[in-house]
Amino acid sequence: MNQAEWQDALRFLRKGTPRRYLNAARVLGSYFLSKWTHRPFQWGMPIALSIEPTTACNLRCPECPSGLRAFTRATGKIDPAFFKSIIDELHRELWYLIFYFQGEPYLHPRLLDMVAYAHEKGIYTATSTNAHFLDPARARQTVESGLDRLIISIDGTTQEVYQQYRRGGHLEKVLAGAREIVRWKRVLRSPTPYVFFQFLVVKPNQHQIPEIKRLARELGVDNVRFKTAQVYDYQHGNPLIPDLDHYSRYRRMPDGSYRLKNKLANHCWKLWHAPVITWDGWVVPCCFDKDAQHKMGSVKEKSFREIWHNEAYAQFRRQILKGRKHIDICQNCSEGTRVWG
């Protein structure tokens, strides 16, 4: 870990309160008991939560439902007052809030107002962006909002390579946005947000792994993390699957077909600690349910606490413990196959 990572980790730990630590212990205890007994216990509330600011996106990435405009669910953006009502219910236990599910968060005109509200509640906040909207004003507001972590997706170090996945994107806008964030952190003498480049490793960009590390150092970005790419049609190979086995979610078999590396053990930590709420209020099990096919309930109709402990959630956890490979959203899951360096 470098110094920036240590400081970020310490900030995260300092967000803990006695109530949040106690809740985390309850969740962890119920998760392990569920694993050992194969029965779904849930004693706590979420430790982490992803909330979707909007489904809109300016890019057309080939393996993204938002980029492909392929959703069957409703599209739109979250109402800030509705967002506040969710945070008001959950903030005493909630430790980590991610302003991202599908879409580009900065397309929501009130994104940073919502970040500031969560920051005032003492929650560790993060978002992920393609960085096309980080002009000087938005960059300054980002730093001033109290955002703890900013993930900048950058999947190439030249425009030619970058645009092969980030279709419709402009690398220079991404770099300019990163420079503005770094500049405003310096001007305002702010340690936050912790900024890292997220490099989605695909075959067209795998040769630029050393270059993205150099570029991050030159710009003053805190770190680079590498992410394996989810490919929907992978069984017979796909031009996006990298040749570098370390950075692939899939393993090539002797017959030329591909299989997911993850063995899909019958348990999943996400189901016990980190749900997702869509822009229009549906609670779904995790970030792999991109089209919200497994709705646990609506926080516009019931409290989150009721949904988190309802029979639909218990049944889904029961399915996970019994046979995860039979659940559609689990069949291309990267849990256990992620890489950071």
Side-chain angles (χ1 to χ4, degrees):
M1 286 179 113
N2 60 30
Q3 184 177 3
E5 283 182 290
W6 277 112
Q7 291 173 343
D8 178 59
L10 287 172
R11 273 193 300 274
F12 179 82
L13 292 174
R14 290 186 187 120
K15 297 286 185 178
T17 62
R19 186 162 177 165
R20 287 174 182 162
Y21 274 107
L22 179 60
N23 178 68
R26 286 173 173 164
V27 173
L28 196 62
S30 60
Y31 169 65
F32 280 111
L33 184 61
S34 298
K35 276 181 64 176
W36 295 331
T37 64
H38 303 288
R39 295 172 59 195
F41 296 93
Q42 179 53 276
W43 297 325
M45 293 292 283
I47 299 169
L49 173 68
S50 294
I51 291 184
E52 182 176 62
T54 179
T55 48
C57 189
N58 54 306
L59 303 185
R60 290 185 174 270
C61 303
E63 295 294 322
C64 174
S66 182
L68 294 170
R69 280 52 171 178
F71 288 125
T72 61
R73 63 184 174 99
T75 58
K77 61 180 184 294
I78 195 167
D79 179 83
F82 174 53
F83 165 82
K84 288 182 178 180
S85 70
I86 297 171
I87 299 306
D88 288 346
E89 179 185 358
L90 299 179
H91 73 90
R92 293 177 182 83
E93 287 85 13
L94 187 64
W95 199 319
Y96 183 22
L97 178 60
I98 305 164
F99 288 85
Y100 177 73
F101 178 32
Q102 298 299 297
E104 166 50 48
Y106 276 84
L107 284 174
H108 195 300
R110 299 283 302 280
L111 169 69
L112 296 171
D113 294 334
M114 294 187 287
V115 170
Y117 188 78
H119 174 71
E120 290 170 4
K121 299 291 187 181
I123 302 168
Y124 183 97
T125 55
T127 194
S128 178
T129 178
N130 61 45
H132 280 64
F133 304 99
L134 291 175
D135 57 29
R138 293 284 265 175
R140 176 171 186 160
Q141 190 184 2
T142 297
V143 176
E144 292 177 333
S145 71
L147 182 72
D148 290 289
R149 176 176 294 191
L150 181 66
I151 304 165
I152 295 178
S153 295
I154 177 170
D155 306 327
T157 61
T158 61
Q159 178 63 26
E160 179 184 8
V161 171
Y162 174 80
Q163 68 188 7
Q164 290 186 57
Y165 189 81
R166 297 286 166 179
R167 294 178 185 172
H170 302 280
L171 179 61
E172 187 47 48
K173 284 189 175 182
V174 181
L175 299 179
R179 290 189 190 101
E180 284 299 322
I181 290 290
V182 171
R183 182 174 76 87
W184 279 112
K185 283 179 65 176
R186 184 175 62 252
V187 169
L188 298 172
R189 298 182 180 181
S190 174
T192 57
Y194 170 65
V195 183
F196 65 82
F197 280 162
Q198 181 168 273
F199 194 86
L200 186 71
V201 181
V202 289
K203 192 169 184 178
N205 70 15
Q206 62 184 14
H207 64 287
Q208 294 187 334
I209 288 174
E211 183 67 14
I212 191 63
K213 295 178 181 179
R214 181 194 63 78
L215 185 59
R217 287 194 299 269
E218 289 180 357
L219 293 175
V221 171
D222 295 316
N223 211 339
V224 179
R225 291 187 176 180
F226 298 96
K227 185 178 180 182
T228 61
Q230 180 182 21
V231 177
Y232 286 99
D233 184 15
Y234 66 85
Q235 289 88 351
H236 303 292
N238 187 295
L240 290 174
I241 297 176
D243 296 325
L244 304 174
D245 183 67
H246 181 62
Y247 295 104
S248 176
R249 296 186 187 184
Y250 312 97
R251 179 174 289 113
R252 193 173 190 273
M253 307 307 291
D255 64 0
S257 65
Y258 285 79
R259 291 184 185 175
L260 189 69
K261 286 180 180 178
N262 192 348
K263 294 182 180 179
L264 296 181
N266 293 334
H267 54 82
C268 180
W269 172 229
K270 280 185 177 292
L271 262 292
W272 271 258
H273 90 287
V276 174
I277 299 179
T278 64
W279 71 271
D280 53 349
W282 290 105
V283 179
V284 297
C286 78
C287 58
F288 280 87
D289 190 7
K290 301 179 192 303
D291 205 19
Q293 295 296 302
H294 300 274
K295 297 181 177 71
M296 301 292 107
S298 171
V299 287
K300 289 189 174 181
E301 298 173 0
K302 295 182 179 180
S303 72
F304 183 90
R305 186 177 296 272
E306 288 180 87
I307 296 168
W308 187 237
H309 294 284
N310 70 14
E311 179 54 32
Y313 237 128
Q315 178 58 26
F316 198 87
R317 294 184 184 109
R318 197 174 290 117
Q319 285 181 271
I320 290 284
L321 297 167
K322 183 178 180 181
R324 187 162 160 236
K325 66 181 180 180
H326 301 299
I327 302 173
D328 55 353
I329 62 171
C330 297
Q331 291 170 10
N332 202 353
C333 177
S334 65
E335 288 302 300
T337 63
R338 298 190 181 194
V339 295
W340 297 118

